[in-house]
């Protein structure tokens, strides 16, 4: 009788590979969407520094496909959108000793005053901030305590209200943080980037059905707030002439992404082109809502500054 042991061992190894942290550089070439196929990645945040685009992601490793198992975050870079490098694991949920959830939810990194600040969420313990001298890390907890907790989300009662930080550095030098689940909050950051400056406020406007995943970007004097709406999630957007609003709802930007109940985007300009970075659950057979994969497609504007709906493609940019 043939033994199934080798097959079983292979399956166990593959599962472990996905759960493992990265301990060396890993180079790969983009071949379409999903962009990243050697592990499950989610909640992308992009940052351009000089001629390099840095991609910060979450890392899914659900064993049963029924819930999140996210123990660390990942960082990737490219200079041409084709050749990519993944760096050793830069940040783990256990680096935040105050976290009780064990889940490394969405984050967003930025650069200021010679340092990189990575705002991250946990599942219920709050939003933290980690700091590093280099984009690829390693990062360490900058505060030893959460930057924000559910108590700061004054209009919310559920445990996971304080998630999904999005940082935005405006042209006038003011840094802003947006975040939330169910309700969208925002506040200024102090120049040191690790303290909230002043009051926490809520984003409110007509037809704003906010689930999570806020992201702010600016182009030609217009502020764009993109965010996940409904469930399963689509991406919607609103525009304003002022970071604090009033925002005007502009409609759906991206439809439900294949085989994933969440939809978490980054919008970025790199070398004169705009990109929409998101995740889906579309790695065939074993991808899904808790084993997601980062994808990239182009983003285009209409003449009046509004956004054309994203066309999600299998081919991607390549
Ligand atoms: O990845 C965990 C959570 O799912 C994120 O914080 C949300 O944005 C959603 O993508």
């Amino acid at each position: 009788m043939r033994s199934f042991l080798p097959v079983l061992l292979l399956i166990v190894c593959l599962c472990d590979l996905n759960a493992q942290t990265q301990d060396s550089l890993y180079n790969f070439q983009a071949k379409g969407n999903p962009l990243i196929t050697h592990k499950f990645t989610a909640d992308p945040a992009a940052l351009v520094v000089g001629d390099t685009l840095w991609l910060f992601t979450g890392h899914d490793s659900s064993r049963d496909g029924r819930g999140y198992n996210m123990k660390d975050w990942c960082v990737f870079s490219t200079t041409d959108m084709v050749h990519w490098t993944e760096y050793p694991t830069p940040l783990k949920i256990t680096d935040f000793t105050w976290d009780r959830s064990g889940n490394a939810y969405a984050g967003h990194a930025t650069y200021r005053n010679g340092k990189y600040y990575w705002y991250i969420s946990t599942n219920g313990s709050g939003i933290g901030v980690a700091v590093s001298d280099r984009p690829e890390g390693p990062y360490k907890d900058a505060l030893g305590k959460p930057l924000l907790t559910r108590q700061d989300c004054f209009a919310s009662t559920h445990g996971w209200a304080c998630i999904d930080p999005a940082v935005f550095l405006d042209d006038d030098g003011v840094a802003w943080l947006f975040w939330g689940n169910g309700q969208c909050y925002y506040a200024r950051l102090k120049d040191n980037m690790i303290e909230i400056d002043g009051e926490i406020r809520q984003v409110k406007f007509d037809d704003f059905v906010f689930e999570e995943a806020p992201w702010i970007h600016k182009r030609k004097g217009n502020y764009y707030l993109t965010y996940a709406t409904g469930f399963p999630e689509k991406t919607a957007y609103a525009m304003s002439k002022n970071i604090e609003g009033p925002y005007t709802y502009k409609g759906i930007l991206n439809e439900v992404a294949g085989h994933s109940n969440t939809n978490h985007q980054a919008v970025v300009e790199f070398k004169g082109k705009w990109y929409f970075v998101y995740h889906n659950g579309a790695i065939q057979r074993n991808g899904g809502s808790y084993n997601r994969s980062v994808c990239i497609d182009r983003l285009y504007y209409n003449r009046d500054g509004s956004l054309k709906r994203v066309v999600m493609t299998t081919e991607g940019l390549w």
Side-chain angles (χ1 to χ4, degrees):
M1 203 172 91
R2 286 175 61 185
S3 164
F4 289 104
L5 196 60
V7 179
L8 197 63
L9 281 174
L10 181 68
I11 292 170
V12 169
C13 286
L14 284 176
C15 289
D16 277 354
L17 245 188
N18 189 47
Q20 266 171 11
T21 55
Q22 186 78 20
D23 57 11
S24 56
L25 292 183
Y26 177 75
N27 295 310
F28 62 99
Q29 203 167 323
K31 294 201 168 62
N33 280 323
L35 164 70
I36 299 160
T37 54
H38 62 284
K39 57 173 35 170
F40 292 114
T41 52
D43 305 327
L47 174 68
V48 175
V49 184
D51 74 341
T52 304
L53 183 140
W54 293 88
L55 190 58
F56 300 82
T57 76
H59 178 195
D60 276 340
S61 32
S62 177
R63 291 193 180 268
D64 60 4
R66 291 195 200 141
Y68 294 119
N69 185 35
M70 306 178 78
K71 297 300 169 206
D72 49 34
W73 291 270
C74 310
V75 63
F76 303 82
S77 77
T78 184
T79 55
D80 60 8
M81 302 302 270
V82 175
H83 300 91
W84 291 81
T85 299
E86 182 183 5
Y87 296 82
T89 299
L91 188 62
K92 303 189 292 298
I93 190 67
T94 50
D95 293 332
F96 299 95
T97 52
W98 43 266
D99 171 64
R100 298 285 169 263
S101 74
N103 260 323
Y105 273 17
H108 185 178
T110 196
Y111 171 76
R112 191 169 202 189
N113 303 331
K115 291 198 186 297
Y116 293 84
Y117 296 91
W118 196 345
Y119 303 86
I120 58 86
S121 42
T122 63
N123 179 13
S125 296
I127 286 173
V129 53
V131 64
S132 174
D133 294 331
R134 298 184 310 223
E136 69 271 32
Y139 286 78
K140 63 175 188 203
D141 184 0
L143 286 172
K145 61 178 183 180
L147 173 67
L148 294 160
T149 66
R150 203 187 58 68
Q151 277 62 47
D152 297 303
C153 298
F154 51 86
S156 310
T157 48
H158 60 297
W160 62 100
C162 188
I163 63 169
D164 290 6
V167 61
F168 179 74
L169 274 182
D170 211 341
D171 307 327
D172 60 2
V174 178
W176 297 87
L177 200 66
F178 286 65
W179 72 93
N181 174 287
Q183 303 290 336
C184 184
Y185 301 91
Y186 71 96
R188 280 176 188 239
L189 285 163
K190 289 189 180 169
D191 286 348
N192 65 15
M193 299 297 275
I194 58 171
E195 284 177 275
I196 297 295
D197 189 7
E199 220 181 312
I200 293 171
R201 298 197 169 100
Q202 264 184 282
V203 180
K204 289 187 170 182
F205 54 89
D206 287 348
D207 301 321
F208 187 31
V209 181
F210 175 77
E211 190 69 32
E212 55 189 3
W215 179 275
I216 296 279
H217 77 275
K218 188 179 184 182
R219 177 182 176 266
K220 296 189 176 173
N222 289 314
Y223 293 86
Y224 297 80
L225 168 63
T226 50
Y227 55 93
T229 189
F231 206 85
E233 295 174 348
K234 299 176 182 181
T235 306
Y237 82 105
M239 289 173 67
S240 175
K241 288 286 178 194
N242 189 307
I243 181 110
E244 294 198 77
Y247 281 89
T248 305
Y249 178 68
K250 300 295 286 184
I252 297 298
L253 177 59
N254 193 29
E255 302 290 348
V256 172
H259 214 202
S260 171
N261 57 22
T262 60
N263 201 329
H264 192 122
Q265 79 297 340
V267 173
V268 66
E269 183 182 22
F270 183 55
K271 300 190 174 174
K273 292 178 176 163
W274 284 87
Y275 296 97
F276 187 80
V277 195
Y278 59 102
H279 65 225
N280 65 20
I283 284 189
Q284 297 294 312
R285 309 286 173 207
N286 50 0
S289 291
Y290 303 105
N291 278 324
R292 298 162 292 179
S293 300
V294 166
C295 303
I296 305 186
D297 277 298
R298 289 291 306 278
L299 181 74
Y300 297 101
Y301 294 83
N302 295 309
R303 290 180 90 95
D304 65 357
S306 58
L307 297 172
K308 290 189 195 291
R309 191 158 307 199
V310 170
V311 177
M312 292 181 281
T313 68
T314 300
E315 294 79 7
L317 311 169
W318 306 277

